[in-house]
Amino acid sequence: MIEFLRSVLGIDADTLNPGQMAVRAVLTFVVAVIIVRLGHKRLFGKGTAFDLVVAIMIGSVLSRAITNTLGLLAVWLAGFVLILLHRLMATLAYHLHWFGPLVKGHPVLLVQDGRADPAALRDTHISRMDLDQALHEKGSDADLSRVRLAYLERDGTISVIPRHEGPRILEVRVDQGVQVVRIAVE
């Protein structure tokens, strides 16, 4: 039985045939799903650079299990170790407030009270068109005067906090100033 598995998986072979690579791909897929499920959901969502680096490394390491004649268990173990390392770093970042910005970065204030910060935009390589796009995605026009705060978040997205202005009051005079109707437009 062990010899059959060695043959099917191409263990100790100089080269792998397509069938061996296919079997390795199926097994590595199953192992990768298990490994990723042990990690955080945010690993493959909109995460920080920290999350992206781990995701790329896992893909790179696990691809070796399919295409190389390296030890399957060693490669799968390396993927598992990367997920554990990601989980440890995320836990430390959660519990140690000084550690989070080291691995995840920090938000950058781009707009305050309707005024864009040119230095922050330049330092973060955010153009005015990028800022306008973020406003459009939030359902707003590109009028910065309507923005109280805008941040470049740690995951690279731009969050926008609109100004909360009271309703605009319109006065409509009816019958030559005899009667005034006030309308609140929100």
Side-chain angles (χ1 to χ4, degrees):
M1 179 67 172
I2 291 176
E3 198 55 43
F4 173 75
L5 284 176
R6 293 173 71 83
S7 172
V8 168
L9 297 173
I11 296 174
D12 295 330
D14 292 331
T15 59
L16 299 174
N17 66 42
Q20 292 167 327
M21 287 181 74
V23 170
R24 283 174 167 240
V26 169
L27 291 175
T28 300
F29 175 79
V30 171
V31 169
V33 169
I34 292 167
I35 288 172
V36 169
R37 292 290 296 142
L38 293 173
H40 292 278
K41 288 183 179 186
R42 60 177 261 178
L43 177 62
F44 292 100
K46 273 192 165 179
T48 62
F50 158 69
D51 301 315
L52 181 62
V53 166
V54 173
I56 290 170
M57 289 178 70
I58 287 172
S60 176
V61 166
L62 291 181
S63 70
R64 291 176 174 267
I66 299 169
T67 59
N68 289 340
T69 56
L70 298 174
L72 284 174
L73 293 178
V75 173
W76 292 341
L77 180 62
F80 181 70
V81 167
L82 285 172
I83 284 293
L84 289 180
L85 183 61
H86 178 264
R87 202 173 180 117
L88 173 66
M89 300 283 275
T91 300
L92 288 173
Y94 176 80
H95 291 290
L96 303 173
H97 296 293
W98 60 268
F99 188 70
L102 291 176
V103 294
K104 297 179 184 181
H106 59 279
V108 177
L109 181 63
L110 301 173
V111 178
Q112 184 171 11
D113 295 323
R115 292 190 192 99
D117 181 346
L121 292 172
R122 182 180 57 249
D123 292 347
T124 57
H125 305 285
I126 301 292
S127 70
R128 177 56 201 255
M129 290 175 64
D130 296 332
L131 199 53
D132 290 350
Q133 178 182 344
L135 291 170
H136 295 156
E137 288 173 353
K138 303 299 185 231
S140 176
D141 58 15
D143 182 5
L144 286 184
S145 68
R146 296 181 178 204
V147 177
R148 185 165 66 91
L149 298 169
Y151 289 93
L152 176 63
E153 299 294 351
R154 299 186 321 173
D155 67 357
T157 60
I158 298 174
S159 62
V160 178
I161 301 169
R163 281 185 188 216
H164 294 289
E165 299 175 2
R168 200 172 71 190
I169 306 295
L170 298 175
E171 289 187 4
V172 178
R173 299 197 183 276
V174 180
D175 200 1
Q176 296 183 353
V178 173
Q179 187 176 22
V180 175
V181 178
R182 292 182 183 196
I183 303 170
V185 179
E186 298 192 34

